[in-house]
Amino acid sequence: MELTRLRGFRDLLGADARAMAIAEDRAREIALSYNFLEIRIPALERIELFARSTGETSDVVEKQMYSFADRDEAGTIVALRPEGTPGVVRAYIEAGLDRSDPEQRLFYSGPVFRRERPQKGRYRQFYQFGVEVFGRTDPACDAEMLIMSDEILKGLGVVSRCEINSIGDAACRPAFRAALIEWGRAHLEQLCTDCHNRIDRNPLRLLDCKIDAKLAATAPSSLDYLCDDCRVHFDSVRSLATAAGVETTINPRLVRGLDYYTRTAFEFMAEGLGAQSTVIGGGRYDGLVEAMGGAAIAGIGFGMGIDRIAIALEAAGLVPSAKPDAIVIAMGANALANAVVMVRELRRKSLRIELASPERKLKALLGRAAKIGARFAVIVGDNELARGVVQLKNLESGQQSEVSAADLARAIAGEA
Ligand code: ATP
Ligand code: MG
């Protein structure tokens, strides 16, 4: 077949699609319980938005963005969003909320695009659920990001652990940054070529160097450079999280490379995912709204990889199969006219019902009922209808009985 999907892009069918929906539904439910409001934003934006917020020197912007010239006269360069946060921040500023009503709690969900090397848990289109809080600087807000992440994962049955770090703020990060540059220069020949570029442009990213983890372990740690305010904030975030039952492990390698990221950085890693185990990444970005042209408003948020959580759910056998309660088979035109009403009523009682094709024979339809795993077949015939009854066949036991049409929903649900 010529019209195949692109590399790194996926078709999700059956249990794979169901697992995604389960993860997303759970995240949405928890976000609402934390009093977040949904925001829906475009998947396509001006490329400058991402250069400005995701960072001109990040791998994502340098190598991974899908971008192209729009067909307008100005030749606007547009890009598919590689993450959710920039669009949310733009929308927040564009709606004037940074000035009129700065404290906001927003969540979003949808596809994002990064042209990276595809592998298990790493795709070129993937789905992120994320939250952003604007206008809060207190450590309780940071702690709630951790607790909320934990709540989403626990509710899904995903076993995870949380790593945390603080990368300081405008007061203390410059000294840490300088120490990193000095360390990088001293170990230049041991660092990878990517890191050679990073030293001056984005030295915090040196800690991400995948080539030599042992060497990275000798790098300066941001925690040793925290000012008193950042230290107090960090300790408070951790102790509030602990009080709510979320254990955090310090990982001094955990960084966000850009200047407007401040203080708290965290990740949740799930079990059973192999190399791509990070399912949630988040942190504070107190300088971002201002860097994007808004007022000086603090922010914090996290992004959750729905695809990876779905893989974890499937691996743990946590995706229930989608089986109908009953298939309804009408015998003849008159019965069919009654059956369409009947199935509508049954579905209103939250039963999962399929109306069978009237073009096929009873035997073939019972075959289909077995194949889709229906618990019951309801056979609607003219004679029975005249008496206000239908035939109800339990497809597990093979038993068939006559049930009054009025009792049908109860009979189906009662056997559940
Ligand atoms: P990684 O280190 O795995 O590349 P990241 O730091 O690039 O992750 P973020 O930008 O923080 O990831 O995105 C938030 C979450 O989105 C990640 O924790 C991960 O679960 C998920 N994610 C990131 N990239 C991909 C991808 N290519 N395919 C599937 N999920 C992804
Ligand atoms: Mg990445």
Side-chain angles (χ1 to χ4, degrees), residues 188-203:
L188 198 59
E189 68 289 353
Q190 289 149 279
L191 290 169
C192 69
T193 47
D194 274 349
C195 281
H196 289 182
N197 294 322
R198 286 172 178 153
I199 286 188
D200 295 303
R201 299 169 68 194
N202 198 350

Side-chain angles (χ1 to χ4, degrees), residues 114 116 121-123 126 128 278-281 303 305 308:
R114 294 183 194 176
E116 47 187 345
R122 194 175 289 289
Y123 312 105
F126 62 100
Q128 270 192 359
T278 304
V279 289
I280 292 178
R308 290 185 191 172

Side-chain angles (χ1 to χ4, degrees), residues 60 82-83 114 116 121-128 205 210 256 267-268 276 278-282 303-308:
V60 171
E83 59 164 332
R114 294 183 194 176
E116 47 187 345
R122 194 175 289 289
Y123 312 105
R124 290 180 169 178
Q125 172 174 337
F126 62 100
Y127 293 80
Q128 270 192 359
R205 282 269 156 210
K210 303 265 153 49
R256 297 272 176 272
E267 283 185 358
F268 278 77
Q276 265 53 253
T278 304
V279 289
I280 292 178
M304 179 173 134
I306 295 288
D307 306 65
R308 290 185 191 172

Side-chain angles (χ1 to χ4, degrees), residues 324-329 343 347 352-357 368-369 372:
D325 294 302
I327 182 165
V328 174
I329 302 170
V343 292
R347 290 167 183 149
R352 185 194 286 262
I353 306 292
E354 179 170 310
L355 178 64
S357 164
R368 169 153 179 89
I372 62 177

Side-chain angles (χ1 to χ4, degrees), residues 18 53 111 113 139 147 161 179 216 233 238 302 315 375-376 389 412:
R18 227 157 35 239
S53 59
F113 304 83
I147 299 163
R161 65 199 171 78
H233 188 273
R238 293 193 70 211
F302 64 77
R375 287 188 302 116
F376 289 97
V389 297
I412 294 172

Side-chain angles (χ1 to χ4, degrees), residues 70-117:
D70 199 355
R71 279 169 227 217
D72 57 11
E73 276 165 24
T76 310
I77 310 289
V78 294
L80 286 167
R81 61 178 173 197
E83 59 164 332
T85 303
V88 175
V89 175
R90 178 201 49 69
Y92 170 80
I93 297 169
E94 205 162 333
L97 293 168
D98 56 330
R99 299 186 194 273
S100 65
D101 192 9
E103 193 171 332
Q104 295 286 332
R105 302 158 74 78
L106 305 172
F107 75 87
Y108 61 87
S109 189
V112 300
F113 304 83
R114 294 183 194 176
R115 199 177 191 294
E116 47 187 345
R117 192 169 70 76

